[in-house]
Amino acid sequence: MDPLLAAAIAAREHAYAKYSGFRVGAALELHDGRIVTGCNVENSTYGLTVCAERVAICKAISEGVAPKSFKRIAICADTERLTPPCGACRQILWEFCGDVPITLTNLAGVTREFTVGELLPEAFDDSLLT
Ligand code: THU
């Protein structure tokens, strides 16, 4: 199996999804080959929940990974219709990864490929802040 998909599936096991029961794993492959993972981390206030994708990005950036060092992304949830990143995560992925491939997968081994740009057309970004 693609190691990036395996990493997203394994990360999903760590999800703290006490309130929704909806477990998500994300994995980011860096250009140097390293993989950084994340899982969703919920909170009893609900609104403070953080998605798996943003946990992975924040982990990577906080460990010194430079923005735009990401080669591709994998996301795993146990849904028949594959789970795409939420709108907020799309914006964050665009900021730090740009238009890289995203593979969605589930526990049945179904996969589907997109790019970040396909999921967030006409994105707002820092090129507009001039
Ligand atoms: N969730 C993610 O981790 N990633 C997404 O892109 C969609 C939603 C999480 C947040 C929450 O813990 C649970 O899935 C249900 O929304």
Side-chain angles (χ1 to χ4, degrees):
M1 181 194 284
D2 179 339
L4 193 66
L5 296 189
I9 293 165
R12 181 183 164 277
E13 292 296 318
H14 299 300
Y16 181 76
K18 184 173 175 180
Y19 305 101
S20 73
F22 193 86
R23 304 165 80 84
V24 185
L28 310 171
E29 184 182 330
L30 310 186
H31 286 298
D32 66 12
R34 281 182 292 161
I35 290 176
V36 180
T37 62
C39 62
N40 52 329
V41 181
E42 298 188 345
N43 188 269
S44 57
T45 62
Y46 294 12
L48 292 179
T49 289
V50 190
C51 294
E53 298 88 332
R54 271 177 285 161
V55 169
I57 290 286
C58 289
K59 277 175 65 185
I61 297 299
S62 68
E63 289 166 11
V65 173
K68 305 290 159 70
S69 307
F70 303 97
K71 189 174 170 191
R72 60 195 183 107
I73 302 163
I75 301 169
C76 176
D78 188 19
T79 53
E80 192 176 328
R81 179 170 81 82
L82 297 175
T83 298
C86 76
C89 287
R90 292 177 199 207
Q91 186 68 39
I92 299 290
L93 292 172
W94 180 257
E95 175 92 13
F96 290 105
C97 305
D99 195 15
V100 302
I102 302 189
T103 305
L104 308 181
T105 193
N106 64 16
L107 298 185
V110 179
T111 63
R112 196 168 165 196
E113 305 272 346
F114 295 92
T115 70
V116 175
E118 286 169 351
L119 295 179
L120 191 67
E122 299 299 328
F124 180 89
D125 63 30
D126 62 354
S127 69
L128 296 162
L129 299 177
T130 53

